[in-house]
Amino acid sequence: MHQVTDAKPSLTADIRRREISYLIKMGIRTICLILAVVVPVPWPYRLLFIAAAVFLPYIAVIGANERGQAGPPPTFQSPEANQTEIPLHRREIGS
């Protein structure tokens, strides 16, 4: 049984969501890179900022390439079969 809430978002909405997520992650990466180079912070923090600047592009690309969102698990309840319709496997050529 399908419901309206089972519908996936449109392709345009999905692409827009992924673009925004990617841009936010890359913005955080840019801030980390600036903090690592410009701001005088102790070395452990600087290494943390550098690590974030190195690994965030990978995480951003993986997130941008995933399509759709995890929806509810599929249900295998089929609606009542229409008894007046001939099943597809029983149809013959010309019918």
Side-chain angles (χ1 to χ4, degrees):
M1 177 178 197
H2 294 285
Q3 298 176 357
V4 175
T5 57
D6 291 344
K8 293 182 180 179
S10 69
L11 181 60
T12 305
D14 185 45
I15 290 173
R16 182 72 179 147
R17 178 191 60 82
R18 291 188 285 145
E19 285 175 342
I20 290 172
S21 172
Y22 179 81
L23 290 173
I24 289 171
K25 290 172 186 166
M26 294 309 286
I28 293 170
R29 176 196 185 227
T30 303
I31 292 169
C32 287
L33 191 60
I34 291 170
L35 289 173
V37 174
V38 175
V39 178
V41 293
W43 274 105
Y45 294 114
R46 190 173 301 240
L47 290 176
L48 180 69
F49 292 141
I50 291 171
V54 168
F55 291 112
L56 269 174
Y58 174 77
I59 295 168
V61 168
I62 296 297
N65 285 334
E66 71 179 22
R67 289 196 171 143
Q69 295 187 10
T75 57
F76 297 104
Q77 300 172 352
S78 62
E80 292 297 322
N82 186 353
Q83 298 298 321
T84 60
E85 182 178 334
I86 300 172
L88 290 177
H89 68 281
R90 303 284 298 198
R91 293 185 182 174
E92 297 179 13
I93 296 174
S95 60

